[in-house]
Amino acid sequence: MNIVFTTTGHFEDPDHKLLIKTLRDQKHIVETMPMERLTGYLKFDAVSQRAAVDAILCKADTDPEGVATYTLPRALKVAADFRQLPESCAMSDGRKWKSIPFIVISEQAYYFGYPDEIRRLNVTLIHP
């Protein structure tokens, strides 16, 4: 499986490094992409059109400032931007970027406040 991995925190975080290593050990191809660059990359970068990605994976448990606050809403904002990509944004195999699974890993207790948005964006929310 080809996965684009993004996070609300830093890629240097030990948990993120372990997750990436585990996925790669299971023979998945994992590319990292900062959250703030994800939709711009998919929308405008010619390389993204040649990619063949099976899922976007977003880890939403750490914040760049080191506290786990408001990370799920930030991940859902990126998911909303992702789902609003134009129809013309597609991979070389014809799949639309916005149609592939968007998975958020979060253990935050306030996820219950966003069930409608999670359903509307077709986000899969899993716990670590």
Side-chain angles (χ1 to χ4, degrees):
M1 180 176 269
N2 295 337
I3 300 168
V4 173
F5 175 75
T6 191
T7 177
T8 56
H10 296 290
F11 291 111
E12 297 82 30
D13 183 291
D15 287 342
H16 297 152
K17 286 184 173 184
L18 179 61
L19 175 59
I20 292 168
K21 181 186 180 318
T22 301
L23 290 168
R24 287 180 175 157
D25 287 350
Q26 293 177 7
K27 308 299 184 219
H28 298 294
I29 298 169
V30 180
E31 295 296 327
T32 59
M33 176 75 53
M35 274 182 70
E36 56 278 354
R37 288 192 48 226
L38 182 66
T39 54
Y41 168 77
L42 300 178
K43 192 182 291 186
F44 300 114
D45 197 307
V47 174
S48 74
Q49 295 171 0
R50 293 190 301 269
V53 175
D54 299 306
I56 305 291
L57 178 62
C58 179
K59 182 99 168 33
D61 280 333
T62 58
D63 194 293
E65 289 78 40
V67 291
T69 56
Y70 308 111
T71 55
L72 182 58
R74 287 174 47 209
L76 292 177
K77 167 71 172 97
V78 171
D81 292 345
F82 176 75
R83 293 294 185 221
Q84 293 173 0
L85 285 169
E87 291 293 322
S88 60
C89 293
M91 294 176 260
S92 60
D93 62 6
R95 291 180 295 156
K96 307 280 189 243
W97 274 108
K98 67 182 185 179
S99 69
I100 65 171
F102 195 102
I103 303 161
V104 175
I105 300 174
S106 179
E107 63 184 23
Q108 296 168 356
Y110 58 87
Y111 68 88
F112 61 86
Y114 299 95
D116 293 335
E117 189 169 3
I118 289 168
R119 275 191 298 279
R120 180 180 63 79
L121 295 172
N122 195 23
V123 169
T124 302
L125 182 65
I126 60 174
H127 300 285

